[in-house]
Amino acid sequence: MDPARANKLKGFGFMFLSSSLMGGIGAFARYIEAPGEFISFCRNGAGFIGMTLIFLLAKRFVHVRNTRITPGVLLSGVFLGLLSALYVISTQMTTLANASFLIYTGPVYSTVLASIFLKEPFKKSMLASLGAVILGMLIIIGIVSYSSGDGLTVGLDLDPKYMAGNLVALASGVAYGLYLFLSRYRTDVDSNTRSWFNFTFATLTIGVILLFSRPDLSEMTTRGWVVLAVAAVVSGFGAFYFMTLATKILFAGELATISYQETIMATLLGVFLFSEPLTVMQALGGLLIIGGGVSQVFISTRKTPATVEAFTQGGIATTPNPKKTLPTAAPGAADRRDVGASAGADLK
């Protein structure tokens, strides 16, 4: 297989792993007697500790010291912390369906922003794939439902008592979108180094939130602490690390399409671990998400090798001219080039 296409497939694999591991946090949280923001702090804290140990053992902290910290690097970590903390807080203030729907508006925001500012491709085929997975997500979480009595119904629970929670959930969606968008800047930064900065700034951000919320941990049991440690490593360090790897390779639209795999994993864990019923509509939603994701993988890897490589390195979508060949870049030039250099110079 052509190396450029293989790299794209690797990116999709990383994002699939990330979203699958992310989907487990809901199951873990049922056994943890701690507030959501504290769980989020531990998830990102585990990532910070893990990446720090990796750098210390490999004696590679020179990469961190030599990396120029720009607004794009700083803010991607800040928004990572906000999206994870605000989402879990919102689940305690509104319905789970509302919280899930509003945070999953994030990938849509990132796709639109990347298309405008980074000139990333957003064609009809990508729109169709993204539309399929969004519809599937709406069905799985119950925003779109069907019953013999009421027929097909669509809507959020807009009860006034959920207003504050809905706003927090919407803020988590905005943070999610901005995290994915900002992660597409500075693709010259090594993935491990970018992960270390993401975990560092995310942990500091949630730490500030904890200073004001002062979570009560008096009800935590030994089992709760053990489960929290496992959740922090699996759905924190593992999920966010693989997401960082994927954002270096995939476009925002491609990331968005695969990110909805998280809802399938959450649903399957509910079925197998807690005997929650799987409705026909939920199964249909899962099939739409799988179909949309598979079609996006197929579409992205069907491009000509030169185009796939140009896209992966942050190029603009163009139709290759068979009479011309792409100029050969100087060694290391791709590593020095930022995505959307002219559009986002102020973020670098």
Side-chain angles (χ1 to χ4, degrees):
M1 179 182 291
D2 181 86
R5 288 175 175 158
N7 194 45
K8 272 288 185 181
L9 285 176
K10 185 169 66 174
F12 282 115
F14 287 146
M15 194 60 194
F16 178 82
L17 280 173
S18 172
S19 56
S20 296
L21 294 177
M22 200 88 71
I25 187 59
F28 282 122
R30 297 191 182 191
Y31 299 103
I32 303 172
E33 306 86 0
E37 59 269 34
F38 183 74
I39 296 175
S40 297
F41 176 79
C42 292
R43 292 172 71 192
N44 286 279
F48 169 74
I49 294 172
M51 291 308 305
T52 299
L53 289 175
I54 289 174
F55 277 124
L56 286 175
L57 293 174
K59 298 181 179 180
R60 296 184 60 193
F61 255 112
V62 63
H63 293 285
V64 174
R65 292 195 298 269
N66 292 338
T67 299
R68 183 168 57 95
I69 301 178
T70 58
V73 173
L74 169 64
L75 292 176
S76 64
V78 170
F79 285 120
L80 174 61
L82 288 176
L83 79 88
S84 57
L86 293 177
Y87 170 67
V88 183
I89 293 173
S90 71
T91 60
Q92 300 169 334
M93 301 174 63
T94 186
T95 65
L96 185 58
N98 284 14
S100 299
F101 167 70
L102 290 169
I103 191 174
Y104 278 118
T105 58
V108 178
Y109 305 147
S110 68
T111 302
V112 174
L113 289 172
S115 179
I116 295 172
F117 294 103
L118 301 181
K119 308 303 179 185
E120 293 188 356
F122 188 66
K123 298 182 179 180
K124 292 181 180 179
S125 56
M126 185 180 290
L127 178 62
S129 298
L130 186 58
V133 297
I134 290 175
L135 177 59
M137 178 270 297
L138 293 175
I139 292 174
I140 280 186
I141 66 177
I143 298 298
V144 175
S145 59
Y146 176 83
S147 64
S148 56
D150 299 328
L152 188 67
T153 58
V154 180
L156 291 168
D157 190 338
L158 299 178
D159 191 312
K161 68 180 180 180
Y162 296 134
M163 179 60 68
N166 289 342
L167 290 176
V168 173
L170 180 61
S172 72
V174 173
Y176 190 9
L178 290 173
Y179 166 72
L180 292 176
F181 170 64
L182 290 167
S183 293
R184 290 296 297 148
Y185 284 93
R186 293 300 305 278
T187 55
D188 61 302
V189 179
D190 173 75
S191 296
N192 287 336
T193 303
R194 189 64 180 265
S195 294
W196 188 87
F197 280 115
N198 279 346
F199 285 128
T200 299
F201 292 128
T203 304
L204 291 174
T205 300
I206 303 176
V208 172
I209 295 176
L210 292 179
L211 290 177
F212 292 94
S213 63
R214 299 185 179 277
D216 180 11
L217 304 178
S218 60
E219 296 184 4
M220 281 288 285
T221 62
T222 301
R223 184 195 67 175
W225 283 109
V226 172
V227 174
L228 177 59
V230 175
V233 173
V234 174
S235 68
F237 173 63
F240 293 143
Y241 177 70
F242 285 125
M243 184 184 294
T244 301
L245 295 180
T247 57
K248 189 177 175 65
I249 300 172
L250 302 180
F251 290 130
E254 295 167 338
L255 291 166
T257 305
I258 306 300
S259 68
Y260 292 96
Q261 155 67 21
E262 180 180 340
T263 60
I264 296 181
M265 180 57 66
T267 301
L268 291 178
L269 289 175
V271 171
F272 291 111
L273 296 181
F274 307 106
S275 300
E276 295 179 352
L278 178 66
T279 66
V280 175
M281 286 293 287
Q282 285 180 314
L284 174 61
L287 289 175
L288 284 170
I289 293 174
I290 294 172
V294 171
S295 66
Q296 183 58 64
V297 174
F298 180 77
I299 292 166
S300 295
T301 55
R302 283 280 291 178
K303 298 183 179 76
T304 61
T307 305
V308 173
E309 178 65 17
F311 282 177
T312 302
Q313 297 299 334
I316 305 301
T318 57
T319 302
N321 187 336
K323 297 181 180 180
K324 298 181 179 180
T325 57
L326 290 176
T328 303
D335 293 333
R336 295 192 299 269
R337 185 170 65 245
D338 293 343
V339 176
S342 60
D346 58 325
L347 289 175
K348 298 183 180 181

